[in-house]
């Protein structure tokens, strides 16, 4: 990281995802002694005693932190945690995250618990020396954050000379700390670039999505139906096969006119699911059998039913073995696979089996040359639990963000970063 800092490197072509400047492109003179507003994604899981149960998101930002500290930057970190809804909430304070970061970094982290608008925070930032690190309290305690309020963005921008984003997982949201602050810092003449984690995500997803190996297969599951079904259309335009599991499958089964009992369904999305089914024919695959139980509880007795034999008292909590076999066949012959969302309630055994088997088959395919990208907090956790996360080509830190990229959307939190200069016209150029 040291010696080639600030050296011009080749971009990955015009408009490519990976064509953003990174911290490596900023010479030390630009960073030394300057206040760096670093947006990270420290939206980590906490237990009921407020302890961090999985620090991988914090660990993910360490290379950028170490590099910027070494360059003599004064670091002001910002993140969200959970959904406190624009006001203070002890359950989602970043205080335990500040302590965890301190342990992992091996250096003091000053936790700024007051509002970024307060005098106390402004003074604390002024006092930061070269290489010092401060962490703001959860930005979603502020009502202006999710509204991308220009006033709040200006307050944030007053805390930094330059902007660095390592928050790929938040890049699909135009919020004050992901987009507004970067725009205002750039307006003041500051720089706005990607950190190492962000750059790595963009490079990887760019490669995987720009020219995917065929067949190109997407696997969608999980519970956030409304957030995901909207992108199904766009995803279907790009992939050869879409395998649906999780609660989203229930909405599609309803659209086929099938009984789903007491399963989780989004009734108001059933018409949309029906439209999608009419348009897409056999490119979209639905479960042919389901694991059902009267209640979704650990160790409960389960039954496997064909999808047209679900009873009114059943709850669908996983895909069945025949579905696993069918989906496995698709995965085994895929060139590129993007997986977002577990196939069932994987946190509650025995409903983890479908997800586990799909993860294993995907890992196996990857060993045979398939490019596999797993995105989403729960999907990543499921791959981890199945012991195959290491075997995947890439485990993305952003579920929603990677899904929107797959749907061909531009991420506002990426767009706001400085683009690498377009390459000079080559011999093949017509202009
Ligand atoms: P990700 O974090 O990977 O993007 P989501 O957050 O969308 O995934 O969904 C994960 C959740 O979906 C898990 O908590 C899981 O229990 C739940 N889920 C999966 N299948 C079902 C189902 N059939 N019924 C209810 N919940 C489900
Ligand atoms: Mg989730």
């Amino acid at each position: 990281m040291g010696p080639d800092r600030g050296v011009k490197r080749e971009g990955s072509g015009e408009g490519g995802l990976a064509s953003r400047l990174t911290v490596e492109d900023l010479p030390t003179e630009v960073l030394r002694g300057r206040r760096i507003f670093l947006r990270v994604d420290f939206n980590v899981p906490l237990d009921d005693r407020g302890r961090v149960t999985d620090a991988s998101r914090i660990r993910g930002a360490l290379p950028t932190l170490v590099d910027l500290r070494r360059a003599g930057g004064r670091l002001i970190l910002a993140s969200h945690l959970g959904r406190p809804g624009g006001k203070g909430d002890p359950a989602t304070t970043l205080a335990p995250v500040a302590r965890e970061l301190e342990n992992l970094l091996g250096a003091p982290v000053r936790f700024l618990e007051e509002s970024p608008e307060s005098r106390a925070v402004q003074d604390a930032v002024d006092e930061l020396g070269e290489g010092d690190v401060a962490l703001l309290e959860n930005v979603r305690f502020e009502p202006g954050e999710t509204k991308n309020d220009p006033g709040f963005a200006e307050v944030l921008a007053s805390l930094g000379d330059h902007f660095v984003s390592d928050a790929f997982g938040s890049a699909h949201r135009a919020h004050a700390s992901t987009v507004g602050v970067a725009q205002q810092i750039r307006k003041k003449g500051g720089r706005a670039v990607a950190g190492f984690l962000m750059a790595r995500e963009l490079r990887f997803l760019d490669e995987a999505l720009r020219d995917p190996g065929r067949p190109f297969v997407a696997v969608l599951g999980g519970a956030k139906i409304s957030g995901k079904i909207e992108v199904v259309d766009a995803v279907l335009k790009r992939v050869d096969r879409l395998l649906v599991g999780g609660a989203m499958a229930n909405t599609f089964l309803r659209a086929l006119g099938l009984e789903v009992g007491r399963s989780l369904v989004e009734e108001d999305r059933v018409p949309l699911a029906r439209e999608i089914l009419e348009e897409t024919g056999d490119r979209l695959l639905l479960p042919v059998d389901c694991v059902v139980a009267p209640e979704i509880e650990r160790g409960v007795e389960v039954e496997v039913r064909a999808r047209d034999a679900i009873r009114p008292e059943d709850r669908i909590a996983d895909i069945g073995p025949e579905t696993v076999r069918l989906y496995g066949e698709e995965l085994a012959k895929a060139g590129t696979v993007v997986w977002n969302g577990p196939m069932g309630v994987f946190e509650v055994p025995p409903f983890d089996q479908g997800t586990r088997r799909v993860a294993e088959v995907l890992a196996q395919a990857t060993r045979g040359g398939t490019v596999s990208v797993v995105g989403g907090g729960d999907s990543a956790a499921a791959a981890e639990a199945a012991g195959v996360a290491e075997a995947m080509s890439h485990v993305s830190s952003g579920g929603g963000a990677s899904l929107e990229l797959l749907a061909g959307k531009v991420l506002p939190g990426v767009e706001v970063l400085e683009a690498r200069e377009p390459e000079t016209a080559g011999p093949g150029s017509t202009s």
Side-chain angles (χ1 to χ4, degrees):
M1 293 170 204
D4 63 348
R5 162 172 299 290
V7 171
K8 261 200 189 294
R9 277 168 298 124
E10 292 278 297
S12 75
E14 74 309 323
L17 277 173
S19 64
R20 301 289 146 176
L21 293 186
T22 76
V23 286
E24 278 186 303
D25 296 300
L26 301 184
T28 310
E29 313 84 86
V30 171
L31 297 169
R32 172 146 300 135
R34 309 306 296 276
R35 299 167 306 155
I36 318 291
F37 188 97
L38 174 58
R39 178 55 157 98
V40 287
D41 182 356
F42 288 170
N43 184 25
V44 294
L46 302 173
D47 66 15
D48 35 13
R49 291 167 66 190
R51 286 173 311 196
V52 178
T53 55
D54 177 3
S56 36
R57 285 187 170 165
I58 303 177
R59 247 180 243 115
L62 290 179
T64 302
L65 273 166
V66 167
D67 184 67
L68 291 171
R69 292 185 69 214
R70 200 184 287 151
R74 300 154 60 203
L75 309 189
I76 300 96
L77 275 59
S79 177
H80 74 281
L81 177 66
R83 298 171 183 271
K87 52 183 179 349
D89 166 18
T92 56
T93 173
L94 282 173
V97 172
R99 287 192 297 273
E100 188 70 32
L101 176 62
E102 211 159 48
N103 289 337
L104 291 170
L105 196 61
V109 172
R110 181 145 184 195
F111 182 56
L112 307 175
E113 59 186 346
E114 283 170 85
S115 164
E117 298 186 36
S118 68
R119 195 60 223 226
V121 166
Q122 318 251 339
D123 288 346
V125 166
D126 286 341
E127 284 162 20
L128 290 176
E130 290 183 11
D132 286 352
V133 180
L135 174 65
L136 293 175
E137 179 55 288
N138 190 346
V139 280
R140 288 198 189 162
F141 283 8
E142 304 290 328
E145 167 61 6
T146 57
K147 292 182 202 133
N148 194 11
D149 175 69
F152 182 56
E154 203 178 320
V155 169
L156 294 178
S158 74
L159 302 176
D161 301 306
H162 303 304
F163 175 81
V164 175
S165 178
D166 237 355
F168 175 72
S170 309
H172 57 312
R173 311 239 184 264
H175 291 171
S177 70
T178 57
V179 170
V181 62
Q183 288 165 333
Q184 304 235 17
I185 283 178
R186 286 185 76 170
K187 221 181 282 165
K188 295 187 296 177
R191 309 295 301 267
V193 301
F196 291 108
L197 176 63
M198 172 72 102
R200 188 165 171 275
E201 290 272 10
L202 295 178
R203 204 180 319 119
F204 214 99
L205 292 163
D206 194 37
E207 271 168 33
L209 301 179
R210 181 190 287 246
D211 186 17
R214 302 282 171 176
F216 183 15
V217 179
V219 186
L220 280 188
K224 277 178 266 169
I225 313 164
S226 42
K228 292 181 183 175
I229 202 163
E230 274 77 21
V231 303
V232 164
D233 248 343
V235 170
L236 273 166
K237 290 199 176 79
R238 306 187 63 179
V239 302
D240 303 302
R241 278 275 188 276
L242 174 60
L243 317 179
V244 180
M248 190 197 285
N250 302 341
T251 303
F252 280 102
L253 295 180
R254 282 283 298 123
L256 289 177
L258 297 172
E259 171 75 67
V260 294
R262 297 188 297 142
S263 309
L264 183 59
V265 173
E266 258 190 346
E267 286 296 341
D268 60 340
R269 293 300 196 285
V270 172
L272 175 59
R274 197 174 292 134
E275 260 172 55
I276 293 170
L277 284 174
E278 274 161 19
E279 283 165 22
T280 51
D282 62 358
R283 272 186 305 141
L284 187 142
L285 270 64
L286 293 173
V288 292
D289 59 349
C290 307
V291 175
V292 305
E295 294 304 332
I296 299 176
E297 281 163 9
R298 189 171 288 266
V300 73
E301 203 162 312
V302 303
E303 284 182 80
V304 175
R305 283 190 212 294
R307 70 178 185 196
D308 56 2
I310 308 295
R311 298 175 312 180
E313 63 271 31
D314 290 335
R315 283 182 202 273
I316 300 172
D318 198 5
I319 57 174
E322 184 57 20
T323 307
V324 168
R325 200 186 58 74
L326 280 174
Y327 287 9
E329 276 175 13
E330 298 293 334
L331 296 175
K333 59 185 184 212
T336 298
V337 177
V338 178
W339 181 15
N340 185 299
M343 298 290 94
V345 186
F346 76 101
E347 311 92 319
V348 187
F351 306 110
D352 57 337
Q353 288 305 310
T355 303
R356 185 175 282 271
R357 288 291 302 133
V358 165
E360 286 164 358
V361 174
L362 184 54
Q364 188 61 39
T366 309
R367 289 184 202 107
T370 299
V371 172
S372 55
V373 178
V374 179
D378 293 293
S379 315
E384 199 74 57
V388 294
E390 295 293 315
M392 305 298 176
S393 312
H394 181 61
V395 178
S396 174
S397 57
S402 57
L403 192 57
E404 296 207 1
L405 279 182
L406 176 63
K409 295 197 188 160
V410 176
L411 306 183
V414 173
E415 206 181 18
V416 77
L417 304 176
E418 290 176 54
R420 209 169 278 291
E421 272 174 86
E423 284 161 54
T424 44
S429 164
T430 48
S431 57

